[in-house]
């Protein structure tokens, strides 16, 4: 047993035992853990020690209701592949990666990997190092809040270097996470390859996203990447020092972006780079502050009519080369915006007629 891990067992005839909750005795019988009530200490977890295997055993046994306030550094990722593990709460632990990243997509290191369980909460935790901090994939409901996620490394473009990955999930909320030094994307909101589950009905609120030092080697690093997504809300987030604030790369229907502050982006504030022909970005409203971002919002994919129903309302574009570069944007408007200290002015070479400012 570990700290506060006194436990009751029922001795039964021979059966499979995991060695953490259930134990094989010397005479071949098995002591089966009783009434654990989700107490990982009864699986041998102990404060101040590496309790990775003990906690994973509790998850695998579907016997983890809450993982809370354990002063332990976990040396490996936790994997939730049990669909019955709904409503778990992970609170106040840390996973520090100290191994070697292989750079192979089949060996991606993920701090907390939830691929099946609905309504899981991950809060007040620390994830440092590896490829991805927290991954909720194709799950319904869930909360990721007040975590510190840092130093995620991109070793395979498309699957690594993410702070939080919510691909293919419905109803996820991220709130007040500090996401630092993730060299691909801090928050990744995309369809799950190759199955194509679209992310939808997600809220990303008051997250603090930062990058410092030498530029990331990833060519398209973004605070938030969105593609093949529906009904996404981003409110009150802060992003500093990355290459882009937003990167849109495929169909989006419904993005409400309000009160976010993006500064010191080295490529541009938001763009649609590399979108395939036949895709559309529609029902998008942006009310954000872009400061020192080279260009505020730029359309770079050579697809006329790509954007539909874009509303830029109450946004600020400050201290940059160009405020808006709407080359391939149609059906759009901008209202109540502030443009200040722009080297080339509000617009650069639009191929469509810019609408009057309201």
């Amino acid at each position: 047993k570990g700290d506060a891990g006194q436990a009751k067992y029922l001795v039964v005839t021979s059966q499979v035992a995991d060695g953490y909750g259930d134990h094989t005795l010397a005479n071949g019988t098995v002591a089966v853990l009783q009434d654990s009530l989700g107490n990982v200490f009864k699986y041998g977890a102990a404060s101040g020690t590496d309790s990775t295997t003990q906690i994973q055993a509790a998850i695998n046994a579907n016997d983890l209701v809450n993982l809370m306030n354990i002063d332990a550094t976990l040396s490996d990722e936790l994997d939730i592949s049990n669909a019955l593990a709904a409503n778990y709460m992970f609170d106040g632990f840390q996973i520090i990666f100290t191994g070697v990243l292989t750079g192979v997509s089949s060996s991606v290191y993920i701090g907390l990997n939830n691929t099946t369980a609905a309504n899981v909460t991950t809060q007040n935790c620390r994830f440092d190092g590896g490829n991805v901090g927290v991954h909720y994939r194709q799950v319904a409901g869930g909360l990721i809040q007040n975590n510190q996620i840092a130093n995620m490394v991109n070793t395979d473009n498309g699957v690594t270097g993410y702070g939080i990955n919510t691909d293919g999930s419905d109803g996820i909320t991220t709130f007040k996470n500090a996401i630092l030094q993730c060299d691909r994307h801090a928050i990744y909101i995309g369809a799950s390859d190759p199955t194509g589950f679209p992310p939808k009905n997600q809220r990303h609120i008051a997250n603090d996203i930062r990058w410092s030092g030498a530029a990331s080697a990833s060519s398209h690093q973004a605070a938030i990447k969105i593609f093949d997504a529906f009904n996404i809300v981003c409110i009150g987030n802060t992003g500093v020092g990355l290459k882009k604030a937003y990167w849109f790369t495929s169909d989006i229907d419904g993005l409400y972006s309000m009160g976010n502050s993006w500064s010191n982006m080295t490529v541009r504030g938001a763009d649609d780079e590399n979108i395939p022909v036949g895709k559309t970005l529609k029902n998008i409203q942006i009310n954000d502050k872009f400061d020192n971002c080279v260009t505020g919002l730029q359309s770079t994919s050579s697809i006329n009519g790509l954007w539909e129903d874009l509303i830029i309302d109450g946004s600020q574009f400050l201290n940059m080369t160009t405020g808006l570069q709407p080359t391939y944007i149609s059906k759009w408007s901008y209202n109540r915006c502030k443009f200040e200290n722009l080297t080339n002015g509000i617009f650069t070479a639009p191929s469509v007629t810019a609408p009057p400012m309201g």
Side-chain angles (χ1 to χ4, degrees):
K1 62 183 177 65
D3 301 345
Q6 296 86 353
K8 294 181 179 180
Y9 295 89
L10 175 66
V11 178
V12 301
T13 56
S14 181
Q15 67 178 46
V16 175
D18 61 17
Y20 298 103
D22 304 335
H23 301 272
T24 302
L25 304 178
N27 63 0
T29 58
V30 174
V32 179
L33 182 62
Q34 303 292 298
D35 301 324
S36 63
L37 299 177
N39 185 345
V40 295
F41 294 122
K42 294 183 179 182
Y43 281 79
S47 292
T49 66
D50 182 348
S51 299
T52 307
T53 52
Q54 292 83 359
I55 294 170
Q56 186 66 60
I59 295 174
N60 294 344
N62 189 34
D63 196 19
L64 179 58
V65 178
N66 295 311
L67 172 57
M68 301 178 66
N69 301 321
I70 296 178
D71 181 19
T73 296
L74 281 64
S75 62
D76 203 353
E77 66 184 32
L78 296 179
D79 181 45
I80 306 174
S81 56
N82 187 342
L84 298 178
N87 305 310
Y88 278 9
M89 177 181 289
F90 297 91
D91 189 339
F93 71 92
Q94 55 183 345
I95 295 182
I96 313 300
F97 179 76
T98 58
V100 177
L101 298 174
T102 66
V104 179
S105 59
S106 60
S107 301
V108 172
Y109 180 89
I110 302 171
L112 180 65
N113 189 27
N114 176 16
T115 57
T116 51
N119 300 314
V120 169
T121 295
T122 303
Q123 63 184 21
N124 305 318
C125 297
R126 178 187 174 198
F127 301 88
D128 196 329
N131 292 125
V132 181
V134 180
H135 188 193
Y136 282 21
R137 185 175 192 266
Q138 295 180 21
V139 298
L143 175 62
I144 304 169
Q145 68 175 356
N146 294 316
N147 301 289
Q148 179 174 312
I149 303 169
N151 303 312
M152 298 300 153
V153 180
N154 178 30
T155 55
D156 186 346
N157 281 344
V159 294
T160 64
Y162 305 152
I164 296 173
N165 184 347
T166 62
D167 61 333
S169 292
D170 182 357
I172 303 299
T173 296
T174 68
F175 179 66
K176 285 192 173 181
N177 298 284
I179 308 174
L180 316 171
Q181 302 300 110
C182 295
D183 69 3
R184 182 68 172 167
H185 308 306
I187 299 175
Y188 178 90
I189 309 165
S192 295
D193 296 328
T195 52
F197 285 84
K200 56 186 178 180
N201 305 319
Q202 296 189 14
R203 299 179 299 173
H204 302 274
I205 303 170
N207 298 289
D208 187 9
I209 301 167
R210 295 178 184 270
W211 176 272
S212 62
S216 167
S218 299
S219 57
H220 295 291
Q221 179 199 43
I224 301 176
K225 178 180 178 178
I226 307 175
F227 76 100
D228 288 337
F230 303 89
N231 299 325
I232 306 299
V233 174
C234 299
I235 297 177
N237 300 286
T238 299
V240 179
L242 295 91
K243 292 189 174 180
K244 304 176 184 180
Y246 283 120
W247 183 26
F248 310 128
T249 60
S250 192
D251 285 323
I252 298 174
D253 189 350
L255 167 64
Y256 183 66
S257 179
M258 180 177 181
N260 304 290
S261 178
W262 312 112
S263 61
N264 302 327
M265 301 295 162
T266 61
V267 175
R268 58 187 65 96
D271 72 18
D272 58 13
E273 193 166 2
N274 297 335
I275 290 186
V277 173
K279 304 297 184 179
T280 58
L281 306 174
K282 58 185 179 181
N283 299 318
I284 295 175
Q285 182 169 342
I286 298 176
N287 183 338
D288 289 353
K289 178 181 178 180
F290 298 89
D291 189 353
N292 190 28
C293 297
V294 184
T295 300
L297 186 149
Q298 180 175 350
S299 178
T300 62
S301 297
S302 301
I303 307 170
N304 286 313
L306 169 64
W307 292 71
E308 298 179 9
D309 301 317
L310 167 65
I311 298 174
I312 305 172
D313 182 58
S315 292
Q316 299 181 55
F317 300 90
L318 313 174
N319 307 310
M320 60 185 75
T321 301
T322 305
L324 301 170
Q325 191 167 334
T327 310
Y328 302 102
I329 300 177
S330 61
K331 296 177 67 177
W332 69 293
S333 65
Y334 70 107
N335 307 285
R336 302 182 302 158
C337 295
K338 179 179 181 180
F339 299 92
E340 185 176 281
N341 195 23
L342 307 179
T343 305
N344 292 339
I346 297 175
F347 299 109
T348 297
S351 63
V352 295
T353 302
M357 182 174 176

